[in-house]
Amino acid sequence: MTAVPVPGGPDLSRAGARGYAHEWARAVRRLGFVPLSAGETERLLHLHTVRLAQALLADPFSTRPAAEVGRALVEAHLTEPGVLDWSVRALGDRFLPQVLPDRIGDDCTADRVAAVQGALAAGFTRALRDRTFAQQERIARSAWQARDEVEQALRDSEARFRALFVGAAIGIGIAGVDGQVIDVNQAFEEMLGYSREELRQINVAALFHADDAAGMWELYQELIEGKRDSARVEKRYYRKDGSVVWTDLAVSLIRYDDGRPRFTVAMVEDITERYELQQRFRFQALHDPLTGLPNRTLFFETLDRVFDTADAERRVGVCFLDLDGFKAVNDSHGHDFGDQLLAVIARRLADGVAGQGHLVARMGGDEFVILVDDVEDVVAVAEAALAAVAAPVRIDDQELMVSASVGVVECPVGTTNASELMKAADTTLYWAKADGRGRWAMWDPERCAQDIARSALVAGLPAALDRGEFVLHYQPIVSLVKGSMLAVEALVRWQHPELGRIGPDRFIGLAEETGLIVQLGEWVLRQACRDADAWRREFPDVRLVVSVNLSARQVEDPAIVDTVADALGRNRLPADLLQLELTESAVMGTAGEPLRSLHRLAGLGVRLAIDDFGTGYSNLAYLRRLPIHCLKLAGPFVEGIRGDGPEPATGHRDERIVDALVRLAHALELRVTAEAVETPVQAERLRVLRCDTGQGRWFGPPVPAAEITARLRGTGKETG
């Protein structure tokens, strides 16, 4: 056999294509008469095999080549009933393993195979039907027209029509313009289960199905009134036993010589199997294969239909559900276990929620969505879904507790669209996750606006750093004994071009989440060192210390020591004039490389301080391991000793706590700075308690570097 050139990429197996065509040709010849030689048949089917493979690999994908292959089979007279059945089954069972082995397991290719099966079957059936219809209609018309020519021609014509009428494989029926059935052939009788005599007693109108498409009766009326010559529709008929048969109905109007309607000829093909195949394909296309629930395509079709047809005032509700920690389940138990879990959850949602008339669909992964028909029940639906998920699940003798989070949205149809509704549901689901999981969250436009503003800040952070929009302010740290300014704490501000000055409480957390805190922290460190060097050079006797905050990420950065050393070296700043502040949470669990980094920083001569001490671990014993020089007491302790508060007992307790912390810190040879000092009473009490330095509004708010310079020159106002 001569090989046919096979185009295509590495996905297509040339040997597999030839083998598949060989098996196809053998099956075709085994099933019935073939008007081609074995070699011709095999070469023809090899071309079709390659064409089907190319269709499956094409981008964009189209089923048209498959339909053309089906038509080509008919045109080659390969029309035995078993040929189509074998061809469709082989496409699903053998084609990928033999012809496209590299695409086995690819869900997209599997979906394309299903579509190609349907297209090939449809093309084959349509071609066979068209050929038969063309022949039948041509013969029928010639039969009736010949009647007016000569008697002999009429008899011949009638004989031919009768032979066709009786022996046709499809049903043929003749009815008067009044709808009364005149005659039917045997195929028509067998299709509907009535005898010819019974059908002759029936009016065509009685055969119309109650669920026929709207306008079908009007279409038939136009036909018998002579307003159209033919009509073709797919419709259902009831068989005599009550079962339903789907048909492809083609009706032609036969007229008198003067053009008046005379009678109708209907050709009816039983397409029940094809229709059911199409319905199966549609079900597969619109339902999730794992859970059997509607998939996202069907969900959005339904949602779009709601928006297209519902009144603008009608409210629509959506519950967007996502399983909590499902990735951990897959990782620990395996994907098969995870699939079983999803199937169980889907059944529960279908039984508990879909049973109430709401559409439950699987969006993909561990996400499900519920379209709520009655929005008054939207919260109850969300709670019912959570309850259904929360019940213990037993799979493979393992009991598992599962929870879910649900985003709930409901609004009038006229105020949004399907895309915006689902975007809001997704956002609300994220809120439920962020609020602690195992709960539902309701859509809140104000919270959404805050999230949008927050996202805008996140997006603007990198550019802000590049454009130099960040500035430093410095807050004095004053000796509680002498009242002199010993140090300043560098505090970063964002001078936003549109929003004005933004405090660190709005962007530091965002910088930590995005990882930009390392770059921002390095900028703060270098700028603070530049300002500190300027003060050192202008006021060499003051030896003002600048204190810079380090985030936990900076502490964990292996390059932190080199960064600090470089900042000091570039500005020729003595290391003892730089203090680095770290939070308790950043240092109390420090081990390994971060701990070595702290010791190396201390080795450079840099001072290290723990900020907001007392709000975290407060583990003084752990401090013995750390090269710490200073503790900064958290503001709440200082606020409690205002002296003018409504609860003196609380103030006394806070004072005793501060006293104990100061004594313990001094025992460890650590200096103590009190934060949030706002009154002279606080400053005096802290001095009495032997606290070393204070910081807060009483000693001065954070100000630009120029004001610190002015204060050092003696033109600024000394407080305390």
Side-chain angles (χ1 to χ4, degrees):
M1 180 180 66
T2 303
V4 178
V6 181
D11 287 331
L12 191 149
S13 169
R14 296 170 182 265
R18 288 193 295 271
Y20 184 92
H22 179 70
E23 294 178 11
W24 196 359
R26 288 184 59 192
V28 166
R29 297 187 68 80
R30 185 177 63 253
L31 292 169
F33 171 75
V34 176
L36 301 172
S37 68
E40 290 172 335
T41 304
E42 188 167 336
R43 283 192 294 274
L44 174 66
L45 295 181
H46 182 235
L47 287 173
H48 294 333
T49 299
V50 172
R51 194 171 187 193
L52 292 174
Q54 290 172 334
L56 288 172
L57 296 174
D59 188 9
F61 172 68
S62 171
T63 60
R64 182 175 179 180
E68 292 173 351
V69 169
R71 175 172 290 277
L73 292 177
V74 174
E75 291 172 352
H77 303 286
L78 305 180
T79 55
E80 288 295 328
V83 170
L84 177 60
D85 180 65
W86 192 96
S87 301
V88 172
R89 283 191 294 102
L91 261 177
D93 297 338
R94 309 182 186 185
F95 196 87
L96 287 185
Q98 288 186 241
V99 183
L100 298 173
D102 291 342
R103 293 306 181 97
I104 295 176
D106 179 47
D107 293 340
C108 178
T109 304
D111 293 342
R112 289 185 173 190
V113 168
V116 164
Q117 286 178 296
L120 187 144
F124 185 96
T125 306
R126 193 176 299 115
L128 186 61
R129 178 196 60 203
D130 290 347
R131 187 176 71 175
T132 304
F133 282 174
Q135 292 173 346
Q136 300 292 352
E137 187 169 358
R138 193 163 52 245
I139 295 172
R141 284 187 177 277
S142 64
W144 291 107
Q145 291 170 356
R147 181 180 180 181
D148 295 330
E149 296 178 359
V150 292
E151 287 296 326
Q152 185 61 44
L154 177 60
R155 286 193 296 272
D156 293 343
S157 171
E158 288 178 345
R160 287 193 299 270
F161 178 77
R162 178 53 56 186
L164 175 63
F165 185 80
V166 172
I170 63 173
I172 301 177
I174 304 171
V177 292
D178 59 354
Q180 195 65 34
V181 175
I182 298 173
D183 199 4
V184 296
N185 68 353
Q186 184 177 351
F188 199 102
E189 295 178 54
E190 294 174 351
M191 190 181 304
L192 297 185
Y194 292 96
S195 67
R196 181 175 301 175
E197 289 69 24
E198 289 173 323
L199 285 169
R200 285 175 173 171
Q201 305 302 315
I202 295 176
N203 191 282
V204 170
L207 296 176
F208 276 69
H209 193 279
D211 296 325
D212 278 339
M216 189 169 293
W217 174 252
E218 290 77 5
L219 189 68
Y220 181 71
Q221 284 295 117
E222 291 179 3
L223 188 73
I224 61 177
E225 290 172 3
K227 296 179 180 178
R228 61 172 61 235
D229 290 325
S230 62
R232 188 168 185 173
V233 293
E234 289 186 358
K235 74 177 303 295
R236 286 164 289 186
Y237 285 108
Y238 279 122
R239 290 189 176 97
K240 185 177 181 180
D241 60 8
S243 60
V244 173
V245 57
W246 273 93
T247 67
D248 188 334
L249 170 66
V251 184
S252 298
L253 176 66
I254 306 301
R255 300 175 181 271
Y256 287 104
D257 291 342
D258 59 7
R260 289 180 296 115
R262 187 173 185 182
F263 52 83
T264 59
V265 177
M267 290 182 285
V268 186
E269 180 187 7
D270 185 345
I271 60 168
T272 304
E273 290 186 3
R274 189 189 78 191
Y275 178 82
E276 291 175 349
L277 180 63
Q278 290 173 338
Q279 291 303 105
R280 284 198 298 272
F281 288 156
R282 175 169 172 78
F283 184 89
Q284 292 170 4
L286 298 178
H287 289 77
D288 175 53
L290 175 63
T291 64
L293 291 177
N295 61 14
R296 62 183 299 119
T297 301
L298 180 54
F299 173 81
F300 278 109
E301 282 185 6
T302 307
L303 186 60
D304 288 339
R305 193 158 53 247
V306 169
F307 277 92
D308 291 341
T309 61
D311 185 87
E313 297 301 318
R314 177 185 171 183
R315 303 185 75 83
V316 60
V318 166
C319 295
F320 200 175
L321 181 147
D322 181 85
L323 298 184
D324 297 329
F326 181 71
K327 183 179 183 300
V329 174
N330 267 343
D331 292 344
S332 58
H333 297 280
H335 288 276
D336 288 342
F337 187 96
D339 288 347
Q340 293 181 63
L341 174 61
L342 290 174
V344 170
I345 297 302
R347 283 197 300 272
R348 290 181 178 179
L349 293 175
D351 294 341
V353 178
Q356 302 174 17
H358 309 302
L359 174 66
V360 179
R362 183 187 178 201
M363 296 295 281
D366 59 336
E367 293 180 342
F368 299 86
V369 65
I370 305 168
L371 181 59
V372 183
D373 187 52
D374 183 357
V375 294
E376 293 182 1
D377 296 335
V378 65
V379 172
V381 170
E383 291 177 343
L386 289 176
V389 172
V393 178
R394 192 167 191 83
I395 299 173
D396 296 337
D397 296 327
Q398 298 184 62
E399 187 167 274
L400 189 68
M401 299 299 295
V402 184
S403 67
S405 302
V406 181
V408 181
V409 182
E410 66 90 12
C411 59
V413 169
T415 63
T416 186
N417 56 48
S419 177
E420 290 300 319
L421 181 70
M422 292 308 299
K423 181 179 177 182
D426 189 52
T427 299
T428 312
L429 173 60
Y430 171 80
W431 294 345
K433 293 277 189 185
D435 292 344
R437 303 186 175 190
R439 65 190 65 205
W440 56 268
M442 180 67 77
W443 168 251
D444 181 355
E446 292 185 4
R447 183 172 179 180
C448 180
Q450 293 171 1
D451 283 355
I452 293 173
R454 182 176 181 274
S455 298
L457 290 181
V458 170
L461 274 172
L465 191 57
D466 293 337
R467 290 194 296 260
E469 294 176 4
F470 292 101
V471 296
L472 289 185
H473 285 194
Y474 296 91
Q475 187 168 36
I477 300 174
V478 176
S479 169
L480 291 175
V481 176
K482 298 181 180 180
S484 58
M485 183 170 63
L486 303 181
V488 291
E489 181 180 355
L491 301 169
V492 65
R493 304 288 188 265
W494 184 357
Q495 196 63 41
H496 197 282
E498 298 176 0
L499 303 177
R501 184 173 299 168
I502 300 175
D505 57 313
R506 291 184 59 187
F507 66 84
I508 290 296
L510 302 180
E512 290 177 343
E513 290 177 14
T514 59
L516 193 67
I517 192 66
V518 175
Q519 295 171 258
L520 179 59
E522 181 177 343
W523 177 86
V524 171
L525 173 67
R526 293 185 182 278
Q527 183 60 43
C529 286
R530 281 193 289 271
D531 291 338
D533 180 61
W535 292 322
R536 179 188 64 81
R537 285 186 280 104
E538 186 172 352
F539 311 102
D541 297 332
V542 176
R543 294 192 63 76
L544 187 69
V545 175
V546 65
S547 191
V548 177
N549 290 282
L550 283 188
S551 69
R553 285 202 179 193
Q554 286 178 280
V555 175
E556 295 169 357
D557 184 3
I560 184 61
V561 178
D562 294 336
T563 300
V564 172
D566 184 66
L568 292 171
R570 285 178 179 272
N571 296 284
R572 300 180 182 179
L573 182 69
D576 62 340
L577 295 185
L578 174 64
Q579 176 173 277
L580 300 177
E581 297 186 17
L582 308 96
T583 62
E584 283 186 83
S585 59
V587 300
M588 286 307 178
T590 301
E593 186 61 35
L595 180 58
R596 286 191 290 272
S597 295
L598 293 182
H599 281 285
R600 290 175 61 197
L601 288 171
L604 293 176
V606 175
R607 302 183 185 190
L608 299 177
I610 295 182
D611 195 16
D612 290 329
F613 187 78
T615 59
Y617 298 91
S618 302
N619 188 343
L620 284 169
Y622 190 79
L623 294 177
R624 292 181 300 174
R625 294 180 51 198
L626 301 172
I628 300 300
H629 303 85
C630 177
L631 294 183
K632 299 187 73 173
L633 298 183
F637 295 125
V638 177
E639 291 173 1
I641 56 175
R642 295 177 64 91
D644 56 354
E647 299 182 11
T650 302
H652 290 315
R653 282 197 300 271
D654 288 334
E655 190 169 320
R656 288 195 294 272
I657 291 172
V658 171
D659 182 40
L661 291 176
V662 171
R663 290 175 183 273
L664 288 171
H666 285 167
L668 293 171
E669 300 181 348
L670 303 176
R671 294 178 60 81
V672 181
T673 297
E675 297 183 298
V677 181
E678 298 186 355
T679 68
V681 174
Q682 290 174 320
E684 176 59 23
R685 292 305 304 155
L686 290 166
R687 185 190 65 78
V688 171
L689 294 173
R690 299 178 62 202
C691 189
D692 300 294
T693 53
Q695 175 183 356
R697 292 283 175 178
W698 174 247
F699 300 112
V703 294
E707 294 191 31
I708 297 296
T709 302
R711 182 166 176 166
L712 290 171
R713 289 172 180 163
T715 58
K717 180 181 177 181
E718 291 284 353
T719 306

